[in-house]
Each structure stands twice: as C-alpha cells, then as structure tokens.
Amino acid sequence: MASSLTRDPADPSAEKTFFGHPRGLATLFMTEMWERFSYYGMRALLVYYLVSGGADAATGSQGGGLAMTAATTTAIYSVYVSMVYLMAMPGGWFGDRIWGARKTVAIAGFVIMAGHLSLALPGQAMFFVGLILVAAGSGLLKANISTMVGHLYDGPDDPRRDGGFTLFYIGINLGAFVAPLVVGTVGKEHNWHLGFALAAVGMGLGLTQFLLGTKHLSPKSSQVPNPLTPEERKAVLTKVVFAVLGIAVFYGAVVALGAYTLNWALVPLTLAGLFIPIAVLTRIKRDKDLSGAEQSKMTAYIWFFVAAAVFWMIYDQGGSTLSLFADDKTAGTLFGFDFSATWYQSLNPLFVMALAPVFAWLWVWLARKNQEPNTIVKFAMGLVLIGASFFVFIVPMGMATGDAKVSPMWLVSIYMIQTIGELCVSPVGLSVTTKMAPQKYASQMMGVWFLAVTAGDCTTSLLSIGGVDLNGTWVIGFQAAAAALAGFAVYAYRKKVQALMGDVH
C-alpha cells in the first residue's frame, strides 16, 4: 500500500492510496475478503455436516452431523446456494430504496455473523435458522458492496475503475481460497460447530474492518438513490405483513396436522427459484416501454441466460456431487501428504487467481490480431468445457468401485477444466448483461444475471427431490451431454443471436 507521511489536504494526489486506488478500496477489499472467507468456509463444511452421522469407532472420525441422505443433502445445498443469489435482487432494492448501500452492507454483516453463530449451535432447528440468515445477509451484501466500489471512482470513464474491480475480485478469491483450508479442516476433521464459529469470526473481522473504514468511502454510498415515498412504504409493509401471516398460518396448519416434512420447505423454495427468473424475464420482455432494439437484445439475452443456467447447474455441483465423491471415493493423500477433502474447494479460487490474468491477456492479444472470439463463441466454449469436465468425471467414477479410491489428480483436473469454463462465461456474462440491459432496467439487470445461478441450482435441487441420483454415472453423463449439446447449439445459432444483439459484440 502506497502512502505519504505528510499530506496537503488540498492536494488529492497526496492522500493515502491502496495500490494507487482510493483508500476506501482497502476497506471494501478487506470486508469482501472476510465475508467470502466466512461464506466459502461454511460452504466447504455444509454437505459433509449434512451427511455425517455418528462417529466411526474404527477410524475415529467425528460424527455429530445431521445424518441426511446424499439426495437430501444435494437438494438443501442447491436450494441454499440458489437463495443466496435470489436474495441479491431484494438486496439491491433495499440499498436503492430504503437504507442506502453503506447501511445495507453493515446490516448484512451483522445478519451473516448471526447466521454463522446459529450454525455453531447444535441442533437441526438452529442449523436451518443459520442457513436462512446467511443466505439473506449474503444477498444484501452481494448486491451493494460492488456498487460501493464503483462509487469510489469518477464515473465509468475513470481509468482506475477496471483495475479497482480487479483488486476487489482478488479479495473475493483470496477469502475463498483460504477458507476451506482453515474453516474446512477445523470443522470437518475436529469439530463442526467450531468450524462454523470460525466462519462467524471471519465475518466479524470483515464487519469490524468495514465499520472502522467507512470514513474512507464515498459519501454517495450513504445516500438512498430512490427512497420510498410514505405511501409506497405503507404498501410494501402491508404486503410483507400479509405474506408472513399467510405463510405462518399455512405451515402452522401443516405442522398441526402432522404432515410436515422437509420437502414442504424445499419444494416451494425450489419452484420459486425456477418461476421467479422466468417471471422476471417475461415481465421485462413484455414491457411496452422498450424500444424495438431493446426488445431484440432481450430476446438475445434469453439465450445467454439459459446457457448460463445450464452452466451453473453443473458448476455448482463442485460443492455437492464432487465434494461427496472427494470424501468417499478419492484418496486423501498426495505425495505422502494427508489433507482434508474440504481442500478441494480451494482449487477453484486458486485457479481463478492463476488463470484470470492469462485469459485477460489472451483476449487482448487475440483482439489485436482481430481473432478474439465474440461473446457467443465464448459462451459456447464455456458450456462445452463444463460438459467436458463431467465427461472426465465419469472415468474416476468407473474406477472407484468397492473400496477402491482414485487419485486426487482426477478432481484437480475436473476443477481446473470447470474454472477455465467459468472464465469463458462469468466475466463475459457480467459484461454482456451491462451492455444489453434496457435503459429502464439498467440497475436491475445485474440481479437478473444472478437469477441464472438460481435457476441452475434449483434445477439440481428439483432433480434431487424427485429422486434422481445425481451421484450416478448415467446422470453425470446425461448432464455432460446436455451441456455440450447446449454449447454446440449456441455456436450453431451464433449468427442469429448476433443479429438480435444489434450493435453489441
């Protein structure tokens, strides 16, 4: 971090900076790093805690989990991840209309920390309370902290802006990389609830950093861009009260009748995660205020949205299907070194940090030679790669019969292929979303992009709830083929989609 020992208040160039960027970026960098540490640390434990039963006397491994089936575990994990991204839309609404970005992030930090503390307490009830709090808090924070990064710069044309978001992205991946090594190891190998408590400590450190560093943030982050009128506030409050009462009465009756099972919660959430993205896209597409060019771009955007949903459906199984295989069928030793199965969750952020600069350079180099693939081709590449990762997965699944365990390098290879696919889809998808967003929905479209993750994960959850064994070889093969075929379809129709995109390339 560069800084000056003495500074002239009238000279902005003399103020402390964070690698040449506004000092507030350090506050947001550390806040996001610790929040991601807490989130990915807990996520690395989630499926293992759900499937763990009693302690194994022969191996000495800890028990104390919730002893659920692999299918139920996958459904819960998928619904949880989908809700985190679904909550990004109301999270942005709170920042825009009620609290402002800064206050929303501070409240989110407390909610997330409370969620991890709930997970640190034994019992199934506290576990689900914790999941709800972490999902809600993560949605509130995710939608607003990136906006605050943008506030630090003098508009879209500030030459430091892209570099600032790159540094911020590094903070995300640093937290995600370290968390499974620390929280995952402590939680899985020693004590589940101590691991969840460590995640709470991580969020607490991030929240402390944020509260101490708010003076370095832009005053814009405290403003409410479009505050609710008193009439709107009353209408929203009335709707919320009636919705909560309706849900409470319905589930109270189900419990009173003795009919309640976990599916009474999972199925409605899963269906909501599928129907809400469809409803949102339909509402935007049918808006008569959109021009003909904007309507055309939205038609093209639906192609990208569906492709992204297919991609995330497979990609996010890295924390469920692949994690279960890592623990049950993969050797926990490499070159004589023993490690926890949670460490595989560190591979993706490690590969992102290593490969993202390479891809950024590659696209620029190809652009100079007028050979850079366009957005549609990059999406097709991402889909084919995510499908290829599951085709590769079929090989170790066939080798791991009986008590046989496969080399960890199989999973290392799979996660690397998936990360390369992610780098073809995720940053490109964020960019194309901002470029193709209708003017009327410019601030909402990033939330719409996150709904693709919700739709993909809810598809996984619905399959699990429906009794489909996602750990079965034929299902893995079917998903691989579906993704690859989707990639080829996107490529085959690239000229049609490009025509719909108009001036966006």
Side-chain angles (χ1 to χ4, degrees):
M1 183 188 304
S3 64
S4 57
L5 297 176
T6 60
R7 54 180 175 167
D8 178 1
D11 180 10
S13 65
E15 292 192 1
K16 292 182 179 181
T17 63
F18 180 66
F19 295 107
H21 291 268
R23 176 65 180 82
L25 184 61
T27 297
L28 299 176
F29 176 98
M30 296 298 292
T31 303
E32 181 70 351
M33 184 189 76
W34 283 114
E35 188 273 330
R36 293 290 88 183
F37 173 90
S38 71
Y39 174 78
Y40 281 100
M42 183 277 284
R43 207 179 83 158
L45 292 179
L46 186 55
V47 296
Y48 297 130
Y49 177 67
L50 287 169
V51 299
S52 174
D56 189 329
T59 64
S61 64
Q62 69 152 324
L66 298 184
M68 294 185 178
T69 64
T72 302
T73 293
T74 300
I76 292 172
Y77 169 86
S78 300
V79 166
Y80 165 69
V81 174
S82 71
M83 290 302 109
V84 168
Y85 286 91
L86 181 63
M87 290 301 295
M89 285 200 76
W93 183 85
F94 272 96
D96 285 343
R97 309 218 62 190
I98 297 182
W99 293 323
R102 186 184 302 190
K103 187 174 181 180
T104 304
V105 168
I107 291 171
F110 281 108
V111 172
I112 293 169
M113 188 165 63
H116 290 305
L117 289 173
S118 297
L119 292 169
L121 299 174
Q124 185 168 309
M126 294 308 297
F127 172 80
F128 285 110
V129 168
L131 281 191
I132 292 168
L133 290 173
V134 174
S138 296
L140 288 171
L141 188 140
K142 180 182 289 293
N144 290 281
I145 195 165
S146 295
T147 301
M148 294 168 65
V149 174
H151 287 162
L152 297 172
Y153 299 96
D154 298 326
D157 297 327
D158 190 321
R160 302 170 299 168
R161 187 182 178 91
D162 286 352
F165 273 97
T166 300
L167 280 173
F168 183 70
Y169 195 59
I170 290 172
I172 293 173
N173 284 284
L174 276 176
F177 170 70
V178 175
L181 306 179
V182 179
V183 177
T185 302
V186 170
K188 185 175 185 301
E189 307 304 330
H190 300 286
N191 185 283
W192 299 115
H193 302 292
L194 181 58
F196 291 132
L198 278 177
V201 170
M203 188 64 253
L205 290 171
L207 183 59
T208 301
Q209 169 73 29
F210 181 77
L211 295 175
L212 292 176
T214 50
K215 59 182 179 288
H216 301 297
L217 302 176
S218 168
K220 288 174 64 177
S221 67
S222 294
Q223 298 171 3
V224 182
N226 183 24
L228 291 173
T229 64
E231 294 78 13
E232 288 175 324
R233 189 180 292 270
K234 181 178 179 181
V236 169
L237 189 60
T238 301
K239 290 177 182 177
V240 169
V241 168
F242 275 106
V244 170
L245 286 175
I247 292 170
V249 169
F250 175 78
Y251 279 100
V254 172
V255 171
L257 292 170
Y260 181 81
T261 64
L262 189 56
N263 279 350
W264 278 99
L266 291 178
V267 172
L269 288 173
T270 298
L271 294 177
L274 290 172
F275 289 142
I276 289 174
I278 294 171
V280 169
L281 286 172
T282 302
R283 177 174 62 86
I284 296 174
K285 186 71 178 68
R286 290 183 174 177
D287 192 330
K288 292 182 172 55
D289 290 340
L290 302 189
S291 66
E294 288 178 326
Q295 286 281 2
S296 179
K297 288 176 182 177
M298 279 305 301
T299 301
Y301 187 76
I302 290 171
W303 277 80
F304 291 109
F305 186 93
V306 173
V310 173
F311 179 89
W312 296 117
M313 178 185 74
I314 295 178
Y315 179 89
D316 276 342
Q317 289 182 58
S320 54
T321 306
L322 287 176
S323 288
L324 293 172
F325 185 85
D327 195 39
D328 295 337
K329 299 296 185 179
T330 308
T333 303
L334 186 65
F335 304 124
F337 179 76
D338 295 332
F339 58 91
S340 172
T342 61
W343 286 27
Y344 288 105
Q345 299 303 302
S346 290
L347 289 173
N348 171 253
L350 176 64
F351 288 142
V352 167
M353 289 188 288
L355 296 176
V358 176
F359 271 72
W361 170 84
L362 177 63
W363 299 142
V364 171
W365 181 71
L366 288 172
R368 287 173 181 164
K369 301 179 69 175
N370 202 29
Q371 295 178 352
E372 181 187 7
N374 64 24
T375 300
I376 306 166
V377 175
K378 289 176 183 176
F379 256 73
M381 291 165 58
L383 283 169
V384 171
L385 283 166
I386 201 71
S389 74
F390 263 28
F391 277 127
V392 172
F393 188 25
I394 291 173
V395 178
M397 289 184 78
M399 296 168 61
T401 56
D403 294 330
K405 294 197 173 186
V406 301
S407 166
M409 295 309 295
W410 282 106
L411 286 182
V412 171
S413 301
I414 293 167
Y415 280 113
M416 185 173 70
I417 296 169
Q418 291 190 347
T419 302
I420 295 171
E422 177 193 2
L423 292 171
C424 292
V425 170
S426 185
V428 175
L430 290 169
S431 177
V432 80
T433 298
T434 59
K435 291 177 182 177
M436 296 173 65
Q439 186 61 38
K440 182 177 179 180
Y441 297 98
S443 61
Q444 299 178 40
M445 283 299 288
M446 202 56 71
V448 174
W449 168 251
F450 288 137
L451 289 180
V453 185
T454 298
D457 281 310
C458 282
T459 301
T460 303
S461 178
L462 194 62
L463 290 172
S464 296
I465 293 169
V468 176
D469 180 11
L470 291 172
N471 301 287
T473 304
W474 76 269
V475 178
I476 297 298
F478 176 80
Q479 292 179 83
L485 287 173
F488 286 121
V490 169
Y491 183 79
Y493 283 89
R494 66 191 183 280
K495 292 182 179 179
K496 178 180 178 180
V497 177
Q498 185 62 65
L500 291 168
M501 292 171 68
D503 57 354
V504 176
H505 298 283

